[in-house]
Every structure is written in C-alpha cells, then in structure tokens.
Amino acid sequence: MSGISITSPLQASPGIPPLPWVPRGQDPTIYDIERVTALLKSAAYFPIFNIHNPAKPNQVNQLIPGLPFFIRSVDVNEQLHRFEINVCRTAMGIRATNLVGEPAADVHIQWTPIPDFYAPAPNVQPPPWLLNPFMSQRFCMLGGQLTFTDADHSGVHAFGTGHTYPATEGGEGVLRIGAAIDVLQGLGKFKGLQGAFCINGYIQPPQNLGLNLMIRMMDPDGVLHAAARPPIAPIRPIPDPDSNAVFMMFLGEVDPSAGVELIPSPDGQGFIGSRVNELLRLVRFSFDTNTSAGLRSITEEGPIVGKVSAILYFNFLDPANVIPIQTTNGVFTFFDEKGNTIGSVLSNMVEGRAMRTQVTGFPMPLFRFAGFGPILGGTGQFSGADGMMSMNSAVSVFPRTLSNLYVFRFYDPQGRLRAAWGDSGK
C-alpha cells in the first residue's frame, strides 16, 4: 500500500500519524468500518465462576512461618465452573438471573500483593509485600495457567494485575477484587488466538472466594463459534455460591447519534483520549467443553436497553505493546421500551490496559482492552448501587469503532435486582 497519499483533513491534523491503509479522499474515522466492526465483534466468550475447591486447597506463603496474618502470596489452585448471566428488561426494570454450573476448567495462579510503585511483569517475582485486608492494594498474578476439561486441554498462559477493595458483605469483611489479564499464549482450541479476561468478585484469603472470570478470545475465523455446530448442553446448576450478589452484563457499541470524539493534548501534537458514547445491548453467552466438535461458545444478542458516556484516557500513539488506560465521568443509563430512564449506574475504570493487537488482513492497529473499577452509586432502580464493574473489549481508533463488554457485580442481599427464573424479559 506504499505510495498512497494522505489528504484527509483529520490525518493532516497535528499529532495524527500517516495512515497508509486509508485511500486518498477517504475519511479515516469511517473507512472500512463495517469490516472492522465485524472483526471486533467476532469474539468467543467464556463466562466462568470460581469458588473454593476443598479437594485442592490453596497454599498460603507467609512472610514469617507460623504467623498467618502476614500473607506474602497465595498459590491458587481452583476448580472453575460454567456460569450464565441472564439479564432482562421487565416491568420492574432491569433484572438478572445467575446460574453457576458444573466444573469446566482448572486454574493455577500465584496471587501476590505488590506495592503501588512496583511495575510487575510476567515471570518476575515482585519485592516482598504483605496483604493488608483493611486497605485497597494492588496485586499481580504470576504463572497463570487455565485449562479446560475438553479433550484438547484448551486453555491459556496468562499474566495480569488488579486491585483489592475492602468491603462488608453479609456482616463479614471481604476484599472485592478487580483484575485485568492478558493471554500470553493459547493452548488447544485457543492456539494462535489472542484474548484477555477480567475478574470481578470477592475473596477472603486464603480459601473463601467468589469470582467471575470473563474470558474473551478474538475469533475472526469462528473456530470457537457454536452456531451451526453441535449444540451447547444446558448448564447443570449448583446452589448459588454468591447469594448476596447479582451479576449483570451489557455489550456496548458506538452510539451513532453521538459517536466517539478524540481529545487533543494541550500542546496540540497528540491526544490524551476520547469522549465515548455507546449504546448498551443485552447479551447472553454460553459455552460447553464437551460438544462433538470440542470446546465451543455461543453469543445471543438482545435489544438495546441503555447507553454509557465516559471520558477515556488512552494515548493510542504510545508505541508500547501495553498502554495504561482509565475512564472518568462514567454514567451507565438504562431505559424502558418507550425510552424513559429507569435508572443509572456510576462507575469508572480506575485501572486498565490496552493491548496492541495485530490481526492478519487488517493493517490498522487494533487494541484489546481490559479493566475494572468500583461502582460509585446510582439513581432510580439502581439507587444506592454498590459493587464492582469490569470491562473486556476490542477497540479500533481508525476507523472509530468498538465492541465493549461490561460486567457488573452488584451487592444485592435483598434480591431487588434479581429476576424470577424463566423470566425472559424484553
């Protein structure tokens, strides 16, 4: 594609590098947008719930042997379960039903608290640091390996970081956690695929925990897609291991009436981020490890039920492979079938990463996003909302399009955000 001249006014603006894949006279914000949007949406999702497995106890590594309160790290060995989140719009507003099912995978991670000043990296042991259950702390996850129970032993080697957030749930102290994790290597059915996953839930070290892992693998060739393949077996539910909370999830897409606006840097030579406006769509995911074709996932999109606006801080001109990202002014607004607002949730991504991603046949730079942050309150049916939000996404700057999955864990001991089983909603 050499020799193509760049004449777009946007490309000629200060701070915009040449975009050689955009033909002369084409608007780089929309050029090839349909194809790129389809790529970003062609993902396979694997929602998982992680609870303690007494048959595989976690191993606590103490700074001083014999003093259990001085936890330096925890070698996590857990059994992971299928998990389904069914969100619906009812006459009472947005409601959800959660089902935790049979075991589907195993995971091993060294969970390690780290100081704020430390820059963690895969396979690098951090300096000694202690877990403090009374304050928010950063942590990293080393040696991460997740393996499904399918015949191909599909899974990932991964690395990530996160934050703890002390809270009280059910009269007991817990550490809510959010984490953003990059897939370093895919195994089995995941071989050659790129992905990330986010974690949202709580822990009471060393053994008690209830965590959602949302795995998102880019799947441009549909090798993990279950449509027109052997069907997904129904989940075999177990008693709810996180009965004080309810999970909801929504799939974000660009709002065509408002769009995404880049924010120039003060010197006018670059950009500090963008003002993002999205529509929120109901979505359901399910997967099975034992179809005759092996590990498979299915996505079912539903109607638009809300919107989100936020300011994203993201320097897409940074040449690094992993770029820090954050959001502010995040407002998730939900409405009924007539467009009337029924409530809103306030939440920002306080820690996240944009992972530069190359896909064969797509010359433009793409990014995988993963991040998280606490819920800061709400209005209407979400008045007093409390919990955590996580995000797992794929984003293109030029053309300006995205596919963002948001997962909320609401602390909901009274069950006011739960739907009756079998309520499909609208």
Side-chain angles (χ1 to χ4, degrees), residues 121-152:
N123 304 316
V124 178
Q125 282 291 332
W129 206 252
L130 294 179
L131 174 66
N132 186 337
F134 305 108
M135 63 178 293
S136 180
Q137 286 182 287
R138 296 181 68 220
F139 60 85
C140 68
M141 290 165 286
L142 298 171
Q145 180 165 346
L146 186 153
T147 306
F148 284 94
T149 58
D150 65 316
D152 297 289

PDB file of all heavy atoms in Angstrom, residues 121-152:
ATOM      1  N   ALA A 121       5.754  -7.640  35.910  1.00  0.00           N
ATOM      2  CA  ALA A 121       5.968  -8.213  34.590  1.00  0.00           C
ATOM      3  C   ALA A 121       5.853  -9.723  34.702  1.00  0.00           C
ATOM      4  O   ALA A 121       6.088 -10.297  35.779  1.00  0.00           O
ATOM      5  CB  ALA A 121       7.337  -7.809  34.027  1.00  0.00           C
ATOM      6  N   PRO A 122       5.508 -10.413  33.608  1.00  0.00           N
ATOM      7  CA  PRO A 122       5.412 -11.871  33.654  1.00  0.00           C
ATOM      8  C   PRO A 122       6.732 -12.507  34.077  1.00  0.00           C
ATOM      9  O   PRO A 122       7.811 -12.057  33.681  1.00  0.00           O
ATOM     10  CB  PRO A 122       5.059 -12.245  32.207  1.00  0.00           C
ATOM     11  CG  PRO A 122       4.448 -11.010  31.621  1.00  0.00           C
ATOM     12  CD  PRO A 122       5.139  -9.863  32.288  1.00  0.00           C
ATOM     13  N   ASN A 123       6.622 -13.555  34.907  1.00  0.00           N
ATOM     14  CA  ASN A 123       7.771 -14.369  35.313  1.00  0.00           C
ATOM     15  C   ASN A 123       8.812 -13.603  36.126  1.00  0.00           C
ATOM     16  O   ASN A 123       9.959 -14.046  36.234  1.00  0.00           O
ATOM     17  CB  ASN A 123       8.446 -14.990  34.084  1.00  0.00           C
ATOM     18  CG  ASN A 123       7.491 -15.804  33.241  1.00  0.00           C
ATOM     19  OD1 ASN A 123       6.693 -16.576  33.764  1.00  0.00           O
ATOM     20  ND2 ASN A 123       7.533 -15.605  31.926  1.00  0.00           N
ATOM     21  N   VAL A 124       8.420 -12.467  36.694  1.00  0.00           N
ATOM     22  CA  VAL A 124       9.328 -11.692  37.539  1.00  0.00           C
ATOM     23  C   VAL A 124       8.725 -11.601  38.942  1.00  0.00           C
ATOM     24  O   VAL A 124       7.608 -11.092  39.110  1.00  0.00           O
ATOM     25  CB  VAL A 124       9.563 -10.273  36.983  1.00  0.00           C
ATOM     26  CG1 VAL A 124      10.474  -9.487  37.910  1.00  0.00           C
ATOM     27  CG2 VAL A 124      10.141 -10.343  35.576  1.00  0.00           C
ATOM     28  N   GLN A 125       9.439 -12.105  39.932  1.00  0.00           N
ATOM     29  CA  GLN A 125       8.939 -12.064  41.299  1.00  0.00           C
ATOM     30  C   GLN A 125       9.013 -10.642  41.847  1.00  0.00           C
ATOM     31  O   GLN A 125      10.061  -9.988  41.764  1.00  0.00           O
ATOM     32  CB  GLN A 125       9.759 -12.996  42.193  1.00  0.00           C
ATOM     33  CG  GLN A 125       9.399 -14.459  42.050  1.00  0.00           C
ATOM     34  CD  GLN A 125       8.017 -14.774  42.592  1.00  0.00           C
ATOM     35  OE1 GLN A 125       7.527 -14.099  43.506  1.00  0.00           O
ATOM     36  NE2 GLN A 125       7.379 -15.798  42.038  1.00  0.00           N
ATOM     37  N   PRO A 126       7.924 -10.133  42.396  1.00  0.00           N
ATOM     38  CA  PRO A 126       7.951  -8.781  42.968  1.00  0.00           C
ATOM     39  C   PRO A 126       8.668  -8.753  44.306  1.00  0.00           C
ATOM     40  O   PRO A 126       8.947  -9.809  44.895  1.00  0.00           O
ATOM     41  CB  PRO A 126       6.463  -8.464  43.137  1.00  0.00           C
ATOM     42  CG  PRO A 126       5.822  -9.796  43.338  1.00  0.00           C
ATOM     43  CD  PRO A 126       6.604 -10.771  42.488  1.00  0.00           C
ATOM     44  N   PRO A 127       8.969  -7.564  44.809  1.00  0.00           N
ATOM     45  CA  PRO A 127       9.588  -7.476  46.139  1.00  0.00           C
ATOM     46  C   PRO A 127       8.611  -7.970  47.203  1.00  0.00           C
ATOM     47  O   PRO A 127       7.387  -7.932  47.004  1.00  0.00           O
ATOM     48  CB  PRO A 127       9.877  -5.979  46.292  1.00  0.00           C
ATOM     49  CG  PRO A 127       8.902  -5.305  45.382  1.00  0.00           C
ATOM     50  CD  PRO A 127       8.729  -6.231  44.222  1.00  0.00           C
ATOM     51  N   PRO A 128       9.108  -8.450  48.337  1.00  0.00           N
ATOM     52  CA  PRO A 128       8.216  -8.927  49.407  1.00  0.00           C
ATOM     53  C   PRO A 128       7.240  -7.829  49.840  1.00  0.00           C
ATOM     54  O   PRO A 128       7.637  -6.679  50.049  1.00  0.00           O
ATOM     55  CB  PRO A 128       9.180  -9.294  50.540  1.00  0.00           C
ATOM     56  CG  PRO A 128      10.492  -9.535  49.864  1.00  0.00           C
ATOM     57  CD  PRO A 128      10.531  -8.593  48.699  1.00  0.00           C
ATOM     58  N   TRP A 129       5.971  -8.203  49.953  1.00  0.00           N
ATOM     59  CA  TRP A 129       4.939  -7.245  50.348  1.00  0.00           C
ATOM     60  C   TRP A 129       3.843  -8.005  51.060  1.00  0.00           C
ATOM     61  O   TRP A 129       3.579  -9.174  50.747  1.00  0.00           O
ATOM     62  CB  TRP A 129       4.388  -6.526  49.125  1.00  0.00           C
ATOM     63  CG  TRP A 129       3.820  -5.165  49.398  1.00  0.00           C
ATOM     64  CD1 TRP A 129       2.512  -4.789  49.390  1.00  0.00           C
ATOM     65  CD2 TRP A 129       4.559  -3.988  49.720  1.00  0.00           C
ATOM     66  NE1 TRP A 129       2.380  -3.459  49.683  1.00  0.00           N
ATOM     67  CE2 TRP A 129       3.629  -2.936  49.895  1.00  0.00           C
ATOM     68  CE3 TRP A 129       5.913  -3.726  49.883  1.00  0.00           C
ATOM     69  CZ2 TRP A 129       4.010  -1.638  50.214  1.00  0.00           C
ATOM     70  CZ3 TRP A 129       6.299  -2.435  50.210  1.00  0.00           C
ATOM     71  CH2 TRP A 129       5.356  -1.419  50.365  1.00  0.00           C
ATOM     72  N   LEU A 130       3.172  -7.366  52.001  1.00  0.00           N
ATOM     73  CA  LEU A 130       2.170  -8.049  52.805  1.00  0.00           C
ATOM     74  C   LEU A 130       0.761  -7.658  52.394  1.00  0.00           C
ATOM     75  O   LEU A 130       0.505  -6.510  52.020  1.00  0.00           O
ATOM     76  CB  LEU A 130       2.369  -7.719  54.284  1.00  0.00           C
ATOM     77  CG  LEU A 130       3.658  -8.231  54.928  1.00  0.00           C
ATOM     78  CD1 LEU A 130       3.715  -7.796  56.387  1.00  0.00           C
ATOM     79  CD2 LEU A 130       3.739  -9.736  54.807  1.00  0.00           C
ATOM     80  N   LEU A 131      -0.146  -8.614  52.496  1.00  0.00           N
ATOM     81  CA  LEU A 131      -1.565  -8.334  52.282  1.00  0.00           C
ATOM     82  C   LEU A 131      -2.119  -7.583  53.485  1.00  0.00           C
ATOM     83  O   LEU A 131      -1.976  -8.019  54.625  1.00  0.00           O
ATOM     84  CB  LEU A 131      -2.335  -9.641  52.079  1.00  0.00           C
ATOM     85  CG  LEU A 131      -3.856  -9.490  51.977  1.00  0.00           C
ATOM     86  CD1 LEU A 131      -4.235  -8.731  50.716  1.00  0.00           C
ATOM     87  CD2 LEU A 131      -4.531 -10.860  52.015  1.00  0.00           C
ATOM     88  N   ASN A 132      -2.752  -6.451  53.232  1.00  0.00           N
ATOM     89  CA  ASN A 132      -3.429  -5.679  54.273  1.00  0.00           C
ATOM     90  C   ASN A 132      -4.921  -5.712  53.975  1.00  0.00           C
ATOM     91  O   ASN A 132      -5.379  -5.073  53.022  1.00  0.00           O
ATOM     92  CB  ASN A 132      -2.920  -4.236  54.295  1.00  0.00           C
ATOM     93  CG  ASN A 132      -3.487  -3.435  55.458  1.00  0.00           C
ATOM     94  OD1 ASN A 132      -4.540  -3.758  55.992  1.00  0.00           O
ATOM     95  ND2 ASN A 132      -2.789  -2.381  55.851  1.00  0.00           N
ATOM     96  N   PRO A 133      -5.717  -6.447  54.769  1.00  0.00           N
ATOM     97  CA  PRO A 133      -7.141  -6.582  54.466  1.00  0.00           C
ATOM     98  C   PRO A 133      -7.965  -5.338  54.754  1.00  0.00           C
ATOM     99  O   PRO A 133      -9.168  -5.331  54.498  1.00  0.00           O
ATOM    100  CB  PRO A 133      -7.575  -7.747  55.367  1.00  0.00           C
ATOM    101  CG  PRO A 133      -6.635  -7.690  56.524  1.00  0.00           C
ATOM    102  CD  PRO A 133      -5.328  -7.225  55.960  1.00  0.00           C
ATOM    103  N   PHE A 134      -7.325  -4.288  55.279  1.00  0.00           N
ATOM    104  CA  PHE A 134      -8.060  -3.097  55.677  1.00  0.00           C
ATOM    105  C   PHE A 134      -7.855  -1.915  54.733  1.00  0.00           C
ATOM    106  O   PHE A 134      -8.356  -0.821  54.991  1.00  0.00           O
ATOM    107  CB  PHE A 134      -7.661  -2.693  57.103  1.00  0.00           C
ATOM    108  CG  PHE A 134      -7.837  -3.792  58.095  1.00  0.00           C
ATOM    109  CD1 PHE A 134      -6.737  -4.438  58.635  1.00  0.00           C
ATOM    110  CD2 PHE A 134      -9.103  -4.212  58.482  1.00  0.00           C
ATOM    111  CE1 PHE A 134      -6.879  -5.463  59.551  1.00  0.00           C
ATOM    112  CE2 PHE A 134      -9.266  -5.247  59.396  1.00  0.00           C
ATOM    113  CZ  PHE A 134      -8.162  -5.870  59.935  1.00  0.00           C
ATOM    114  N   MET A 135      -7.096  -2.119  53.649  1.00  0.00           N
ATOM    115  CA  MET A 135      -6.881  -1.029  52.714  1.00  0.00           C
ATOM    116  C   MET A 135      -6.819  -1.587  51.296  1.00  0.00           C
ATOM    117  O   MET A 135      -6.556  -2.772  51.076  1.00  0.00           O
ATOM    118  CB  MET A 135      -5.579  -0.289  53.030  1.00  0.00           C
ATOM    119  CG  MET A 135      -4.322  -1.125  52.906  1.00  0.00           C
ATOM    120  SD  MET A 135      -2.800  -0.191  53.233  1.00  0.00           S
ATOM    121  CE  MET A 135      -2.799   0.931  51.837  1.00  0.00           C
ATOM    122  N   SER A 136      -7.084  -0.717  50.329  1.00  0.00           N
ATOM    123  CA  SER A 136      -7.005  -1.118  48.931  1.00  0.00           C
ATOM    124  C   SER A 136      -5.548  -1.301  48.529  1.00  0.00           C
ATOM    125  O   SER A 136      -4.692  -0.473  48.848  1.00  0.00           O
ATOM    126  CB  SER A 136      -7.663  -0.050  48.046  1.00  0.00           C
ATOM    127  OG  SER A 136      -7.612  -0.415  46.689  1.00  0.00           O
ATOM    128  N   GLN A 137      -5.268  -2.411  47.839  1.00  0.00           N
ATOM    129  CA  GLN A 137      -3.910  -2.727  47.421  1.00  0.00           C
ATOM    130  C   GLN A 137      -3.891  -3.255  45.998  1.00  0.00           C
ATOM    131  O   GLN A 137      -4.877  -3.823  45.508  1.00  0.00           O
ATOM    132  CB  GLN A 137      -3.305  -3.815  48.324  1.00  0.00           C
ATOM    133  CG  GLN A 137      -2.904  -3.381  49.697  1.00  0.00           C
ATOM    134  CD  GLN A 137      -2.285  -4.546  50.463  1.00  0.00           C
ATOM    135  OE1 GLN A 137      -2.968  -5.462  50.880  1.00  0.00           O
ATOM    136  NE2 GLN A 137      -0.969  -4.499  50.624  1.00  0.00           N
ATOM    137  N   ARG A 138      -2.742  -3.107  45.362  1.00  0.00           N
ATOM    138  CA  ARG A 138      -2.524  -3.736  44.069  1.00  0.00           C
ATOM    139  C   ARG A 138      -2.015  -5.161  44.270  1.00  0.00           C
ATOM    140  O   ARG A 138      -1.434  -5.489  45.308  1.00  0.00           O
ATOM    141  CB  ARG A 138      -1.514  -2.943  43.239  1.00  0.00           C
ATOM    142  CG  ARG A 138      -1.974  -1.546  42.862  1.00  0.00           C
ATOM    143  CD  ARG A 138      -0.911  -0.856  42.034  1.00  0.00           C
ATOM    144  NE  ARG A 138      -0.768  -1.493  40.724  1.00  0.00           N
ATOM    145  CZ  ARG A 138       0.402  -1.697  40.117  1.00  0.00           C
ATOM    146  NH1 ARG A 138       1.523  -1.345  40.715  1.00  0.00           N
ATOM    147  NH2 ARG A 138       0.437  -2.268  38.922  1.00  0.00           N
ATOM    148  N   PHE A 139      -2.219  -5.992  43.254  1.00  0.00           N
ATOM    149  CA  PHE A 139      -1.659  -7.334  43.277  1.00  0.00           C
ATOM    150  C   PHE A 139      -1.356  -7.755  41.843  1.00  0.00           C
ATOM    151  O   PHE A 139      -1.845  -7.168  40.873  1.00  0.00           O
ATOM    152  CB  PHE A 139      -2.608  -8.348  43.941  1.00  0.00           C
ATOM    153  CG  PHE A 139      -3.947  -8.493  43.255  1.00  0.00           C
ATOM    154  CD1 PHE A 139      -4.121  -9.353  42.173  1.00  0.00           C
ATOM    155  CD2 PHE A 139      -5.049  -7.767  43.703  1.00  0.00           C
ATOM    156  CE1 PHE A 139      -5.351  -9.485  41.555  1.00  0.00           C
ATOM    157  CE2 PHE A 139      -6.281  -7.896  43.086  1.00  0.00           C
ATOM    158  CZ  PHE A 139      -6.437  -8.758  42.003  1.00  0.00           C
ATOM    159  N   CYS A 140      -0.519  -8.761  41.706  1.00  0.00           N
ATOM    160  CA  CYS A 140      -0.265  -9.345  40.392  1.00  0.00           C
ATOM    161  C   CYS A 140      -0.515 -10.841  40.470  1.00  0.00           C
ATOM    162  O   CYS A 140      -0.585 -11.435  41.562  1.00  0.00           O
ATOM    163  CB  CYS A 140       1.144  -9.040  39.892  1.00  0.00           C
ATOM    164  SG  CYS A 140       2.474  -9.851  40.808  1.00  0.00           S
ATOM    165  N   MET A 141      -0.672 -11.449  39.309  1.00  0.00           N
ATOM    166  CA  MET A 141      -0.939 -12.885  39.219  1.00  0.00           C
ATOM    167  C   MET A 141       0.107 -13.494  38.304  1.00  0.00           C
ATOM    168  O   MET A 141       0.123 -13.227  37.095  1.00  0.00           O
ATOM    169  CB  MET A 141      -2.353 -13.125  38.693  1.00  0.00           C
ATOM    170  CG  MET A 141      -3.418 -12.728  39.702  1.00  0.00           C
ATOM    171  SD  MET A 141      -5.062 -12.591  38.994  1.00  0.00           S
ATOM    172  CE  MET A 141      -4.893 -11.053  38.095  1.00  0.00           C
ATOM    173  N   LEU A 142       0.993 -14.285  38.893  1.00  0.00           N
ATOM    174  CA  LEU A 142       2.124 -14.858  38.171  1.00  0.00           C
ATOM    175  C   LEU A 142       1.864 -16.329  37.862  1.00  0.00           C
ATOM    176  O   LEU A 142       1.140 -17.020  38.595  1.00  0.00           O
ATOM    177  CB  LEU A 142       3.396 -14.725  38.998  1.00  0.00           C
ATOM    178  CG  LEU A 142       3.857 -13.294  39.317  1.00  0.00           C
ATOM    179  CD1 LEU A 142       4.993 -13.335  40.330  1.00  0.00           C
ATOM    180  CD2 LEU A 142       4.293 -12.577  38.047  1.00  0.00           C
ATOM    181  N   GLY A 143       2.499 -16.810  36.799  1.00  0.00           N
ATOM    182  CA  GLY A 143       2.405 -18.223  36.459  1.00  0.00           C
ATOM    183  C   GLY A 143       1.002 -18.688  36.165  1.00  0.00           C
ATOM    184  O   GLY A 143       0.665 -19.847  36.394  1.00  0.00           O
ATOM    185  N   GLY A 144       0.180 -17.797  35.645  1.00  0.00           N
ATOM    186  CA  GLY A 144      -1.216 -18.131  35.421  1.00  0.00           C
ATOM    187  C   GLY A 144      -1.392 -19.182  34.332  1.00  0.00           C
ATOM    188  O   GLY A 144      -0.921 -19.002  33.210  1.00  0.00           O
ATOM    189  N   GLN A 145      -2.081 -20.266  34.668  1.00  0.00           N
ATOM    190  CA  GLN A 145      -2.433 -21.277  33.674  1.00  0.00           C
ATOM    191  C   GLN A 145      -3.853 -21.750  33.936  1.00  0.00           C
ATOM    192  O   GLN A 145      -4.172 -22.234  35.026  1.00  0.00           O
ATOM    193  CB  GLN A 145      -1.469 -22.457  33.683  1.00  0.00           C
ATOM    194  CG  GLN A 145      -1.842 -23.511  32.641  1.00  0.00           C
ATOM    195  CD  GLN A 145      -0.725 -24.492  32.366  1.00  0.00           C
ATOM    196  OE1 GLN A 145       0.409 -24.284  32.734  1.00  0.00           O
ATOM    197  NE2 GLN A 145      -1.058 -25.580  31.686  1.00  0.00           N
ATOM    198  N   LEU A 146      -4.698 -21.595  32.926  1.00  0.00           N
ATOM    199  CA  LEU A 146      -6.088 -22.031  32.987  1.00  0.00           C
ATOM    200  C   LEU A 146      -6.285 -23.112  31.936  1.00  0.00           C
ATOM    201  O   LEU A 146      -5.934 -22.918  30.766  1.00  0.00           O
ATOM    202  CB  LEU A 146      -7.028 -20.844  32.747  1.00  0.00           C
ATOM    203  CG  LEU A 146      -8.524 -21.075  32.918  1.00  0.00           C
ATOM    204  CD1 LEU A 146      -9.208 -19.761  33.304  1.00  0.00           C
ATOM    205  CD2 LEU A 146      -9.175 -21.614  31.640  1.00  0.00           C
ATOM    206  N   THR A 147      -6.845 -24.259  32.352  1.00  0.00           N
ATOM    207  CA  THR A 147      -7.007 -25.393  31.451  1.00  0.00           C
ATOM    208  C   THR A 147      -8.434 -25.914  31.524  1.00  0.00           C
ATOM    209  O   THR A 147      -8.929 -26.254  32.609  1.00  0.00           O
ATOM    210  CB  THR A 147      -6.039 -26.533  31.814  1.00  0.00           C
ATOM    211  OG1 THR A 147      -4.704 -26.026  31.862  1.00  0.00           O
ATOM    212  CG2 THR A 147      -6.116 -27.650  30.782  1.00  0.00           C
ATOM    213  N   PHE A 148      -9.107 -25.968  30.371  1.00  0.00           N
ATOM    214  CA  PHE A 148     -10.463 -26.513  30.305  1.00  0.00           C
ATOM    215  C   PHE A 148     -10.428 -28.037  30.328  1.00  0.00           C
ATOM    216  O   PHE A 148      -9.376 -28.664  30.104  1.00  0.00           O
ATOM    217  CB  PHE A 148     -11.167 -26.017  29.035  1.00  0.00           C
ATOM    218  CG  PHE A 148     -11.627 -24.594  29.108  1.00  0.00           C
ATOM    219  CD1 PHE A 148     -10.830 -23.566  28.617  1.00  0.00           C
ATOM    220  CD2 PHE A 148     -12.850 -24.268  29.676  1.00  0.00           C
ATOM    221  CE1 PHE A 148     -11.244 -22.250  28.685  1.00  0.00           C
ATOM    222  CE2 PHE A 148     -13.278 -22.961  29.747  1.00  0.00           C
ATOM    223  CZ  PHE A 148     -12.478 -21.946  29.249  1.00  0.00           C
ATOM    224  N   THR A 149     -11.589 -28.629  30.569  1.00  0.00           N
ATOM    225  CA  THR A 149     -11.701 -30.082  30.665  1.00  0.00           C
ATOM    226  C   THR A 149     -12.014 -30.735  29.321  1.00  0.00           C
ATOM    227  O   THR A 149     -12.365 -31.911  29.278  1.00  0.00           O
ATOM    228  CB  THR A 149     -12.797 -30.468  31.671  1.00  0.00           C
ATOM    229  OG1 THR A 149     -14.051 -29.883  31.265  1.00  0.00           O
ATOM    230  CG2 THR A 149     -12.457 -29.994  33.071  1.00  0.00           C
ATOM    231  N   ASP A 150     -11.902 -29.990  28.225  1.00  0.00           N
ATOM    232  CA  ASP A 150     -12.177 -30.573  26.917  1.00  0.00           C
ATOM    233  C   ASP A 150     -11.056 -31.528  26.509  1.00  0.00           C
ATOM    234  O   ASP A 150      -9.974 -31.541  27.103  1.00  0.00           O
ATOM    235  CB  ASP A 150     -12.365 -29.477  25.863  1.00  0.00           C
ATOM    236  CG  ASP A 150     -11.084 -28.678  25.629  1.00  0.00           C
ATOM    237  OD1 ASP A 150     -10.428 -28.326  26.624  1.00  0.00           O
ATOM    238  OD2 ASP A 150     -10.741 -28.406  24.469  1.00  0.00           O
ATOM    239  N   ALA A 151     -11.310 -32.317  25.475  1.00  0.00           N
ATOM    240  CA  ALA A 151     -10.350 -33.327  25.035  1.00  0.00           C
ATOM    241  C   ALA A 151      -9.055 -32.715  24.532  1.00  0.00           C
ATOM    242  O   ALA A 151      -8.004 -33.368  24.545  1.00  0.00           O
ATOM    243  CB  ALA A 151     -10.974 -34.195  23.946  1.00  0.00           C
ATOM    244  N   ASP A 152      -9.091 -31.452  24.085  1.00  0.00           N
ATOM    245  CA  ASP A 152      -7.892 -30.793  23.567  1.00  0.00           C
ATOM    246  C   ASP A 152      -7.085 -30.089  24.643  1.00  0.00           C
ATOM    247  O   ASP A 152      -6.053 -29.490  24.339  1.00  0.00           O
ATOM    248  CB  ASP A 152      -8.292 -29.770  22.493  1.00  0.00           C
ATOM    249  CG  ASP A 152      -8.958 -30.409  21.301  1.00  0.00           C
ATOM    250  OD1 ASP A 152      -8.257 -31.097  20.544  1.00  0.00           O
ATOM    251  OD2 ASP A 152     -10.179 -30.253  21.136  1.00  0.00           O
TER     252      ASP A 152
END
